[in-house]
Each structure stands twice: as C-alpha cells, then as structure tokens.
Amino acid sequence: MSRHVAVFGMGNVGSTVAHQLILNGHVDELTLFDTNEAKVKADALDFEDAMSNLNHSVKINVNDQAALKSAEVIVSALGNIGLIGGDNPDRFGELKHNREQVKKVGQTIKESGFSGVLVVITNPNDAICNLYQEVIGLAKEKVIGTGTLLDSARLQRAVGKLFDVHPKSVQGYSLGEHGDSQFVAWSTVKVMGQSIYKLLEKVDFSLEDVDQETRDGGYVVFSGKKYTNYGITAAADRLVDAVLSDSHEELPVSNYREEYGTYLSYPAIVGKAGIVKQSQLDLTEEELAKLQNSADTIKEKSKVED
C-alpha cells in the first residue's frame, strides 16, 4: 500500500505540511483540499515542478473526495489564525469559525469511507479533536491532535539554550491543553539524563519563566509574522510519519483520556493504528491538579462557545 496522505486546508500551515512531507520523502501520494481552487491547483503544480530535482516522486491529487478512501492519514490544517485576537490572543477565538468548517469537512471524510488516522492541527486543538471524532465517528484512538508536541519542543529549545545543549538532549513534556492552561510537568524534565531539579543550582533561571515562555512561544511567532508554520509543520510531519511507519514512538499528543472525559495532551505510543497505548506518568499532586484544571478548561471553553 502506498503512503497516501490527504491535507485539508492549504493555507500557511497546510501548504508547509504538504511541502515537508514531500521533501522528507514521507509520502508516495498526496491529496490536497482547499475551497480556493486556484490556490490549491497552483500548489499542486508547484510541487510537481519540484519532482525533477528530488530523489523521489509523489502523485498529487486535488480536491478528489474519492481518493480519500485509500488515504492512510488525513491532516486537518483548517483555520483562520487571525481570529485568535491581538493583545490577548486565545486559540479558542477560532472555535466558532473552525467548528463550521470541521462539520463540513468531517461529513466529507465520513462519506468517503476513510478508515485511517486523522491528524488534527486545527485550533483549538483539543476541542476540534473532540468535534471531529463525533462528526466522523472514527474510533477515538484514530483521531490525534498535534497538541503539545510543539509546546514540548519549545520547552526543549528553551531549556537547551539555558544549558547550552541541543534540544534533543532535553527530555520532558508540556501537558494538557494546547493553549493557556497547559503547563510544564517539571517532574518529567531531564537534561542529558539528569533531573532538572538536580541541575537548578548550576544554572540560575526561573521554572515559572520557562513555563511561560513555553506557553507563549506561538504568540511570539504570531506577533512577528501574523502566522506560525515551521514549528507546527515539523511536529505534524513527525506525527504523520509515526503513523505511516508504525514507529510506536511515545509522543505528547492530544488523545482522548477517559479519566478526564476529553482530548488533551498526554504522552502516548503512536503507530499505524493511531494511539496504540496510552502512557501513565508518575506526576506530582500539583501537576495532577494542573492537568485536571486543563481538562476542565477545555470542556468549559468548548461549552461556552457553543
């Protein structure tokens, strides 16, 4: 079976995701969807023009609903980032607009007979995962949000700079909502295998400041160029590849946690079946309280915006 991925929404994020999947050689077939037909056709032609200078070839389809049935992964990159607000940005600002788009796209996906894994980038990420799962009727483990996979990367970047090491030398997670109620689970953070708590006396920095930097990283990027695309694309590409390659990699993604009654970010093993197994972290009482608060926030904000 060819590695077939479909992308809905060819804006700043969706087009960059499609480009990354092609450049990294992670797909054999790519089906692109957008209501702006001129834009999506232009992207498709641009991608095809790149093939002669790549080491692999990718079949490109445009707005082909019938092709969805054979897709292994669908990526939802719908959105209008301008709706998150100005001085006090909030990802839930996109909910009203994106809810209507998701209902339409979800119905299209359902009618196509798609049975693969849905990877959700669309914000507010956790609430949109809940909505997609309800509309399409896929098993909960087959709907996965990028969640705090990006926020955890921001954490690794920030801590790595403090200790002058590569971000990959930092392990640890930001958990909960991909939004304002997320938090760094410091009990999970290690630098080159050592607990962050043991290293605090060697480097003078505030855990609260790093937590804030992790949470606000996306807004800093947005304030500079009015959209984000590279960081989230790397996260989405990694997640899609984990599904296609059946890697069984542990990733902090938005997945449905029965004990919290909602999608939220918590590490899980990802493979071809979607969420293969949910991890169980040994969190502190304070972290468990923050996670519960994040779950409550997701559910409450989703309800308020109905």
Side-chain angles (χ1 to χ4, degrees):
M1 181 181 293
S2 67
R3 297 167 302 167
H4 181 187
V5 175
V7 179
F8 276 88
M10 290 298 289
N12 291 315
V13 174
S15 59
T16 310
V17 168
H19 189 219
Q20 187 89 345
L21 289 168
I22 292 170
L23 286 183
N24 286 342
H26 288 162
V27 290
D28 302 308
E29 185 172 356
L30 199 56
T31 301
L32 312 175
F33 289 85
D34 200 280
T35 54
N36 185 339
E37 193 164 343
K39 168 66 164 61
V40 69
K41 285 183 176 179
D43 277 330
L45 183 58
D46 213 1
F47 292 148
E48 289 172 345
D49 285 344
M51 298 303 168
S52 293
N53 290 309
L54 298 177
N55 294 323
H56 51 272
S57 184
V58 178
K59 179 183 178 183
I60 308 289
N61 311 308
V62 172
N63 288 342
D64 184 357
Q65 183 178 352
L68 289 174
K69 189 171 184 178
S70 66
E72 293 182 75
V73 178
I74 291 177
V75 177
S76 171
L78 306 170
N80 184 346
I81 197 170
L83 296 175
I84 69 171
D87 295 335
N88 297 295
D90 181 357
R91 292 181 179 89
F92 267 86
E94 290 190 77
L95 181 56
K96 185 176 181 180
H97 172 273
N98 289 346
R99 179 194 285 115
E100 297 309 311
Q101 302 304 309
V102 164
K103 288 179 180 178
K104 294 175 184 177
V105 169
Q107 192 60 35
T108 295
I109 294 172
K110 182 177 182 178
E111 292 172 358
S112 74
F114 171 75
S115 59
V117 174
L118 177 64
V119 169
V120 180
I121 300 173
T122 302
N123 281 321
N125 198 244
D126 312 286
I128 294 297
C129 285
N130 277 309
L131 181 58
Y132 262 126
Q133 194 278 323
E134 291 171 4
V135 172
I136 302 173
L138 287 169
K140 290 183 175 70
E141 61 268 20
K142 287 198 168 190
V143 178
I144 311 174
T146 46
T148 59
L149 182 54
L150 172 56
D151 304 292
S152 296
R154 288 173 175 146
L155 165 67
Q156 292 170 308
R157 180 257 301 157
V159 173
K161 283 186 176 181
L162 289 168
F163 289 94
D164 195 26
V165 297
H166 193 281
K168 287 186 177 180
S169 296
V170 180
Q171 298 82 44
Y173 301 117
S174 182
L175 302 178
E177 176 197 5
H178 176 56
D180 294 341
S181 67
Q182 70 176 256
F183 65 97
V184 174
W186 288 109
S187 67
T188 69
V189 179
K190 295 181 179 180
V191 181
M192 299 181 70
Q194 296 187 68
S195 168
I196 192 71
Y197 295 123
K198 292 183 179 180
L199 298 170
L200 279 176
E201 57 190 48
K202 299 180 181 180
V203 176
D204 183 23
F205 73 96
S206 163
L207 296 182
E208 291 76 15
D209 287 347
V210 176
D211 201 325
Q212 189 71 30
E213 183 178 349
T214 300
R215 187 163 48 248
D216 293 347
Y219 299 140
V220 174
V221 175
F222 173 75
S223 68
K225 64 181 190 179
K226 304 310 175 188
Y227 62 92
T228 65
N229 59 336
Y230 299 129
I232 186 57
T233 287
D237 177 70
R238 184 182 180 188
L239 179 51
V240 169
D241 187 53
V243 175
L244 293 175
S245 65
D246 198 25
S247 69
H248 285 219
E249 183 177 4
E250 185 180 60
L251 299 171
V253 293
S254 187
N255 58 111
Y256 190 85
R257 299 289 304 200
E258 199 71 46
E259 67 269 41
Y260 294 106
T262 185
Y263 277 83
L264 51 71
S265 281
Y266 197 105
I269 304 300
V270 178
K272 193 171 287 293
I275 300 298
V276 177
K277 184 178 181 181
Q278 294 182 313
S279 304
Q280 295 295 335
L281 300 174
D282 186 18
L283 299 176
T284 67
E285 289 299 318
E286 181 183 5
E287 289 166 348
L288 287 170
K290 288 180 177 179
L291 191 58
Q292 183 64 61
N293 173 68
S294 201
D296 293 342
T297 298
I298 293 166
K299 290 186 283 188
E300 188 61 28
K301 281 189 173 182
S302 299
K303 191 186 305 179
V304 168
E305 295 291 339
D306 278 340

